[in-house]
Amino acid sequence: MAAALVSFILGQLATITFETAWQELKLVIGVEEEVRKLQSNFEAIQEVVEDAEVKQVVDKSVKRWIDKLKDVAYDMEDVLDEWTTALSKLKTDEAESASVPKKKVRLSLLPFNLGGQVVRGYDISDKIRRINVELDEIAKEKDRYHFARSEIAQPRRLERTTAYVDVSEIKGRNDVRDNIVSKLTSDEGSIQTVSIIGMCGIGKTALAQLVVNHVKGQNSFDDVVWVCVSDFFDQIKIAREILEGLGCGSSRDLISLQGLLDNIAEKVRDRKVFIVFDDVWTEREADWEALRAALQHCKHGIRILVTTRKESVVKVIRSSHVFRLELLSDEICWEILKSKAYFGRGESERRDLEDVGMRIAKKCKGLALAAKELGSLLRQKRRRVEWERVLNSGFWELEIAEEYIFRPLLLSYYDLPSTIRRCLLYCAIFPKDYVMGKDELIVHWKMQGFLNSVDDDSEMELKGEEYFEYLADRSLFQDLERDDYGNIFVGKMHDLVHDCLLFMTKDEIVTKEVDSKETWNLDLVSKRARHSSIKISQPNSFPICINGVEKLRTLITIGESYDVTSEGLKKLFSEAKCLRLLDFQLPRIRKVSEEIQVPEEIGNLIHLRYLTFLSYQSLELPESVCDLRNLEYLNIVNCSELPKEMEKLINLKYLYTRDCNRLSHYPKGIGRLTSLQRLDRIIARVDCNHTKDFSVGDFQNLDLLRGDLWLELEGNWINIEEVERAKLHKKIHLMELRVVFRSNNAGHEMKDNFIKALNPRPNFHIQFF
């Protein structure tokens, strides 16, 4: 995450330096030099931060250095955001613009009222100086760690796999083993490749070992070769291992790849050969081409078995058969776990521990690796209370987690580009077994600035889809569901992946589940919380007090039966001024007659990009919501009236109000939100160009609208000029209108007049309800 954050800050500094307003900021004495120093320090850190992120897993002092770096980078991002927000407010707020004298005024001295804060150019510059002092120390401190300057793609795997295994320890895979063996021993083609794919720890290598043991027993092949490919695809090293496996002794005297491949081609010519490539990562077809050509010389056919975590590898190696390994049952996990944990125990002791052990086996969620390592851990714990402690802990809290359970997953993590790592780590904020909608997750990534490598919003969505598919391809998402076109639209994370992400984010992402009926407080002071989710699973109250929210960027609440006080919200909005994403599910336990009033203090959240209020009672939003100039996403349920000055939300791209049945009209200012892309429902006057209410013609400048729109028309007749003013033909991304006439007088003639005046483009769908 640190690498992506540093890269983002450098991009922001480079961009904003060329803006006129930033030139004005430089007029504050000394700031220009401070900015140059900032850039220089960040650039020096960028050269080594990839290596530091890898080393932090095993070196706690490096972890502390990374944490300090992230804190400073986050603070710098907030300062830059504060400055650009102030400039935006200056340019767009007519009232404030009118109060500025017409003579030239240095922007660096202008006051800006942001969320109750008066911000001046020298306030910004003072924050930059303080940040630079901290960053300077961090940049100097990096030298003591001797970080490598070259980019690290992924850490090398320390252990090597072999074909030897105690088959009695492998449970629940005999059926799939027999199926694989039948494919390998068939007579199809000269080179036949079978692939085993699945997430880390599911048992791919163990299954391959089981297959090797079986075919050796059948004497199906003249030679059986095991090659542990692992991290980097070294063609010369792999060719040498194949030759040694074919009984050629040492091949160290052969230097060139050509010489090695010549020997392989000659050796396999008259033999029937089975080769296992375990743990393949490379996605480059060129890595396989020369080796495949050499193996083609085999007259009796080569059989290849590949294990991998990546779907893309299966395509590159041209697999003829693919086996996607399923999770083991809880019963099988228990068999694996107890074979380790029960060693050396008497019958009575086993009976006493069995019920706890079976529940621990369920925590493995079908992963053989987890069952094996937990079994080894439990073998060392003699008392039932120790087993219960393991049962009540997350994987990430166990002493064996880092070295034995998470290390294989970290290979998958560090194989990702730094930009995608940041997106994956963010997923730890969701509860276990949470079904993540692809579109929902992409919007979250956008609002957090994780997809800012491209400027165009539609390009961001494509980038987000690419990232989601990338993670799914590497088995980091599971239970994927696809639409009729084969596109993934939802997925989940395995508990082990989720726990690994919690382990890596520890204090930065804080999740809390509450099932007590007592009023409670939440303390984040001891944490370095930037993102937090609160799941309330029983009737309760939202925390009346959350301490330590000053740096919080994300707050998600999950639950249907909790209450919230106005005082609690006021305190939250007054203190959590760095929030970028607020997803708030308001209570359903109040009386339906009550109205929930969101406090004015929400206007303090000047960094906010994403705001969701899901309310089961009537909801009233204050006018101060319109001070949220950075707001891009607004989703509200049961809102009775929208703020009048909606046109101030100049960056709004998503406005969802479909479930606001109490709304009787929409503000006219929505028509001036030219960044708007998604609008699921709106009420529009069709009989006139109303002075205050949204009218059909106010669609005129909303040319970025896409998808479909539920349009409710108000009025007893059709004003042709008003409908024509909408210029629907310019909305090339809008696919469908679902139209309702709210008037009782609406008939076929009104519908025909509406369509005629609208003049839709060909193949545009209009559906009347």
Side-chain angles (χ1 to χ4, degrees), residues 479-684:
D479 296 343
L480 304 174
E481 295 184 31
R482 299 178 183 269
D483 59 23
D484 294 338
Y485 301 99
N487 301 312
I488 301 170
F489 64 92
V490 296
K492 292 198 301 187
M493 282 190 303
H494 190 279
D495 282 5
L496 183 62
V497 177
H498 189 271
D499 274 344
C500 185
L501 298 183
L502 284 176
F503 164 75
M504 297 186 70
T505 54
K506 282 186 179 173
D507 297 336
E508 194 168 347
I509 294 180
V510 178
T511 62
K512 178 76 174 178
E513 183 166 354
V514 182
D515 54 13
S516 168
K517 295 185 179 180
E518 300 175 2
T519 301
W520 57 285
N521 296 334
L522 181 60
D523 185 14
L524 301 179
V525 173
S526 60
K527 310 287 186 181
R528 298 173 45 261
R530 300 287 177 171
H531 310 281
S532 182
S533 66
I534 302 172
K535 183 178 180 181
I536 304 175
S537 54
Q538 288 190 14
N540 206 319
S541 292
F542 184 77
I544 59 172
C545 179
I546 306 181
N547 296 315
V549 297
E550 292 78 13
K551 301 292 186 180
L552 204 62
R553 290 176 163 231
T554 304
L555 178 61
I556 299 173
T557 67
I558 300 168
E560 296 182 343
S561 300
Y562 64 91
D563 202 357
V564 60
T565 65
S566 177
E567 291 74 23
L569 288 179
K570 281 183 182 179
K571 188 175 189 302
L572 176 66
F573 297 156
S574 297
E575 296 179 0
K577 294 181 180 179
C578 292
L579 275 176
R580 279 163 163 72
L581 189 149
L582 177 60
D583 191 336
F584 217 105
Q585 297 187 29
L586 287 162
R588 74 184 317 170
I589 60 175
R590 291 191 180 192
K591 295 178 181 178
V592 175
S593 59
E594 287 191 51
E595 184 171 69
I596 298 173
Q597 293 186 339
V598 177
E600 289 282 343
E601 283 78 4
I602 195 171
N604 292 332
L605 310 181
I606 63 168
H607 301 284
L608 201 65
R609 267 79 171 162
Y610 180 111
L611 176 60
T612 292
F613 276 124
L614 303 183
S615 172
Y616 292 91
Q617 282 76 41
S618 181
L619 175 70
E620 182 179 334
L621 291 179
E623 285 295 326
S624 61
V625 166
C626 299
D627 292 331
L628 306 177
R629 303 305 174 94
N630 288 308
L631 195 66
E632 296 183 34
Y633 182 103
L634 179 59
N635 183 10
I636 45 179
V637 172
N638 277 329
C639 183
S640 54
E641 185 175 2
L642 292 174
K644 296 180 178 61
E645 297 184 310
M646 291 283 287
E647 66 272 11
K648 290 184 177 180
L649 301 176
I650 57 173
N651 288 305
L652 197 65
K653 296 173 182 176
Y654 304 81
L655 177 57
Y656 295 119
T657 59
R658 176 163 290 180
D659 294 317
C660 294
N661 297 320
R662 292 179 174 86
L663 280 178
S664 59
H665 65 278
Y666 283 68
K668 193 173 189 64
I670 291 176
R672 291 192 279 275
L673 302 179
T674 54
S675 296
L676 207 57
Q677 296 176 15
R678 301 279 186 175
L679 181 64
D680 62 347
R681 177 216 183 202
I682 196 164
I683 300 171

Side-chain angles (χ1 to χ4, degrees), residues 369-578:
L369 172 68
K372 177 183 174 183
E373 297 301 339
L374 282 177
S376 298
L377 173 68
L378 292 170
R379 185 168 59 198
Q380 306 165 31
K381 300 186 180 300
R382 308 305 301 181
R383 296 179 299 155
R384 180 184 173 91
V385 66
E386 292 177 296
W387 281 45
E388 289 175 340
R389 193 174 295 126
V390 171
L391 173 65
N392 296 321
S393 300
F395 277 120
W396 65 283
E397 298 170 300
L398 301 174
E399 59 263 36
I400 63 165
E402 182 177 338
E403 186 172 358
Y404 297 106
I405 296 180
F406 292 156
R407 182 164 292 188
L409 269 173
L410 292 177
L411 285 171
S412 289
Y413 173 76
Y414 286 112
D415 183 58
L416 302 172
S418 62
T419 50
I420 302 183
R421 287 181 215 160
R422 197 179 184 192
C423 293
L424 177 64
L425 288 175
Y426 178 79
C427 295
I429 197 172
F430 299 107
K432 287 183 178 178
D433 294 323
Y434 185 81
V435 179
M436 293 180 290
K438 180 179 70 174
D439 292 343
E440 172 196 19
L441 191 55
I442 290 172
V443 169
H444 276 239
W445 290 341
K446 282 171 63 178
M447 299 304 122
Q448 297 292 352
F450 298 166
L451 305 178
N452 282 355
S453 57
V454 289
D455 296 326
D456 182 74
D457 204 70
S458 60
E459 289 296 318
M460 281 192 198
E461 290 191 10
L462 290 174
K463 180 66 71 177
E465 289 187 14
E466 177 187 323
Y467 286 2
F468 192 95
E469 297 275 354
Y470 199 92
L471 293 169
D473 179 75
R474 281 147 182 77
S475 305
L476 292 166
F477 291 152
Q478 62 176 27
D479 296 343
L480 304 174
E481 295 184 31
R482 299 178 183 269
D483 59 23
D484 294 338
Y485 301 99
N487 301 312
I488 301 170
F489 64 92
V490 296
K492 292 198 301 187
M493 282 190 303
H494 190 279
D495 282 5
L496 183 62
V497 177
H498 189 271
D499 274 344
C500 185
L501 298 183
L502 284 176
F503 164 75
M504 297 186 70
T505 54
K506 282 186 179 173
D507 297 336
E508 194 168 347
I509 294 180
V510 178
T511 62
K512 178 76 174 178
E513 183 166 354
V514 182
D515 54 13
S516 168
K517 295 185 179 180
E518 300 175 2
T519 301
W520 57 285
N521 296 334
L522 181 60
D523 185 14
L524 301 179
V525 173
S526 60
K527 310 287 186 181
R528 298 173 45 261
R530 300 287 177 171
H531 310 281
S532 182
S533 66
I534 302 172
K535 183 178 180 181
I536 304 175
S537 54
Q538 288 190 14
N540 206 319
S541 292
F542 184 77
I544 59 172
C545 179
I546 306 181
N547 296 315
V549 297
E550 292 78 13
K551 301 292 186 180
L552 204 62
R553 290 176 163 231
T554 304
L555 178 61
I556 299 173
T557 67
I558 300 168
E560 296 182 343
S561 300
Y562 64 91
D563 202 357
V564 60
T565 65
S566 177
E567 291 74 23
L569 288 179
K570 281 183 182 179
K571 188 175 189 302
L572 176 66
F573 297 156
S574 297
E575 296 179 0
K577 294 181 180 179
C578 292

